[in-house]
């Protein structure tokens, strides 16, 4: 047998020890979704939040409240002319409060805040400002009473100079909004953001963190690493709504609501995950 050259041997050892592990992110087999409802919503531009009875379609400076049962418009909120809102993004409902991410996107330097409404009256009631810190806030979510927030960076003029989507980070906060931990996204997933970032994330079936990009009809299943600072990319689920902000239904926890920006629609899906992942 021909002797392997020292160069080839060195190259093979490099691949074995140092090449990145490709996540089983495209093996969607047992990870799937099916559309179960679709509703028109004029505000379906940035995302949607959902509670027991209603969904809330979100655009930059306006929110529409609709019945989940038939998509009937119920109420809404709109920023006043010249008001302080610039770019509302993902939201979720907790204890009767609609909590949304907000930033000055595409402005730089990036400034961010968390804005809160009374979901019953649609009155704006609270604001927490991060100022110039972390990046551009795209979404917040909670798990077991702990808050997580994603701060994005972008390619081009809307991003920080000499940075980009690879600097997007997930930060964990305590009740006083003090950072208690942080994670980055894997490079292979950052490539799929295509110069943008993670438009939404929320904990869902199996306890995983589900993330969407900016445009693709996909939902990415993430988990926290046993060590290190890079989130694990577990799987990819094809979905009928593009990236942007989605929300899990608190009544049926396998159902998620997302949006189709071009048609101004809110779309509900039911997600199936592998039995071993439940």
């Amino acid at each position: 047998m021909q002797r392997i050259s020292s160069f080839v041997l060195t190259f093979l050892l490099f691949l074995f020890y140092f090449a990145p592990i490709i996540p089983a992110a495209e093996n969607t087999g047992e990870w799937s979704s099916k559309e179960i409802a679709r509703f028109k919503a004029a505000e379906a531009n940035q995302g949607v939040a959902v509670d027991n009875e209603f969904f809330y379609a979100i655009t930059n400076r306006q929110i529409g409240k609709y019945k989940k049962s038939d998509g009937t418009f119920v109420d809404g909120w709109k920023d006043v002319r010249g008001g302080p809102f610039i770019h509302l993004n993902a939201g979720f409902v907790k204890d009767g409060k609609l909590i949304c991410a907000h930033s000055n996107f595409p402005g730089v330097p990036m400034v961010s805040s968390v804005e809160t409404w009374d979901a019953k009256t649609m009155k704006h009631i609270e604001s927490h400002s991060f100022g110039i810190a972390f990046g551009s806030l795209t979404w917040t979510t909670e798990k077991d009473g702990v808050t997580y927030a994603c701060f994005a960076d972008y390619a081009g003029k809307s991003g920080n100079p000499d940075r980009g989507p690879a600097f997007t980070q997930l930060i964990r906060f305590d009740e006083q909004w003090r950072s208690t931990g942080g994670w980055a996204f894997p490079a292979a997933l950052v490539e799929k953001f295509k110069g943008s970032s993670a438009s939404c994330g929320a904990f869902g079936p199996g306890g995983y963190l589900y993330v969407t990009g900016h445009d693709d009809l996909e939902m990415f299943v993430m988990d926290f690493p046993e060590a290190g600072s890079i989130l694990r990319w577990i799987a990819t689920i094809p979905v009928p709504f593009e990236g942007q902000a989605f929300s899990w239904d608190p009544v049926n926890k396998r159902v998620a609501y997302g949006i189709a920006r071009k048609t101004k629609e809110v779309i509900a899906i039911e997600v199936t995950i592998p039995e071993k992942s439940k």
Side-chain angles (χ1 to χ4, degrees):
M1 182 174 65
Q2 189 175 17
R3 181 175 297 176
I4 299 174
S5 71
S6 60
F7 173 79
V8 172
L9 181 60
T10 301
F11 179 71
L12 292 173
L13 288 173
F14 173 84
L15 287 179
F16 181 80
Y17 286 108
F18 300 108
I21 298 174
I22 304 300
E26 301 301 335
N27 299 331
T28 57
E30 298 179 274
W31 301 81
S32 63
S33 72
K34 65 176 181 180
E35 181 177 327
I36 58 175
R38 185 179 288 247
F39 308 99
K40 284 288 187 180
E43 305 85 1
N45 184 56
Q46 294 300 336
V48 60
V50 61
D51 61 20
N52 289 6
E53 297 183 59
F54 307 98
F55 64 81
Y56 305 81
I58 303 165
T59 188
N60 289 327
R61 305 176 65 236
Q62 189 172 351
I63 303 170
K65 179 178 180 180
Y66 297 79
K67 287 184 179 180
K68 284 166 53 179
S69 58
D70 59 9
T72 300
F73 179 81
V74 175
D75 198 358
W77 169 90
K78 186 176 182 180
D79 192 17
V80 298
R81 183 182 294 274
F85 290 85
I86 301 171
H87 184 72
L88 287 173
N89 216 309
F92 68 96
V93 182
K94 179 185 178 183
D95 300 331
K97 296 179 178 180
L98 172 60
I99 302 167
C100 294
H102 176 256
S103 73
N104 67 332
F105 178 86
V108 287
M110 298 172 175
V111 294
S112 302
S113 64
V114 173
E115 305 295 339
T116 304
W117 286 258
D118 182 315
K120 182 177 181 179
T121 64
M122 295 303 294
K123 303 295 184 184
H124 181 255
I125 55 175
E126 294 177 22
S127 178
H128 173 80
S129 174
F130 293 100
I132 303 174
F134 303 112
S136 181
L137 181 65
T138 54
W139 48 273
T140 64
T141 188
E142 290 193 0
K143 184 180 182 181
D144 300 327
V146 178
T147 297
Y148 297 80
C150 180
F151 293 87
D153 212 323
Y154 305 95
K157 295 180 180 179
S158 57
N160 283 308
D162 303 319
R163 295 181 61 141
F167 283 81
T168 296
Q169 56 185 320
L170 180 68
I171 305 293
R172 184 181 63 209
F173 291 97
D174 66 13
E175 294 180 354
Q176 285 73 48
W177 290 105
R178 294 175 296 204
S179 173
T180 62
W183 297 266
F185 290 87
L189 185 55
V190 172
E191 285 292 321
K192 292 184 73 67
F193 293 158
K194 300 172 185 173
S196 293
S197 192
S199 289
C200 190
F203 293 96
Y208 294 105
L209 177 64
Y210 294 75
V211 172
T212 50
H214 193 269
D215 300 301
D216 292 336
L217 303 175
E218 294 177 317
M219 182 180 283
F220 311 113
V221 187
M222 314 299 295
D223 200 3
F224 290 94
E226 295 181 4
S229 303
I230 309 297
L231 293 168
R232 295 174 56 223
W233 184 6
I234 303 300
T236 300
I237 304 176
V239 294
F241 50 76
E242 62 206 45
Q244 302 307 311
F246 68 94
S247 184
W248 292 104
D249 190 328
V251 178
N252 185 339
K253 296 185 179 181
R254 290 191 176 278
V255 170
Y257 284 67
I259 67 166
R261 301 178 80 174
K262 292 181 181 179
T263 57
K264 293 293 186 289
E265 290 177 302
V266 170
I267 304 170
I269 64 171
E270 186 173 16
V271 171
T272 298
I273 70 173
E275 185 66 31
K276 63 184 179 181
S277 299
K278 295 179 182 178

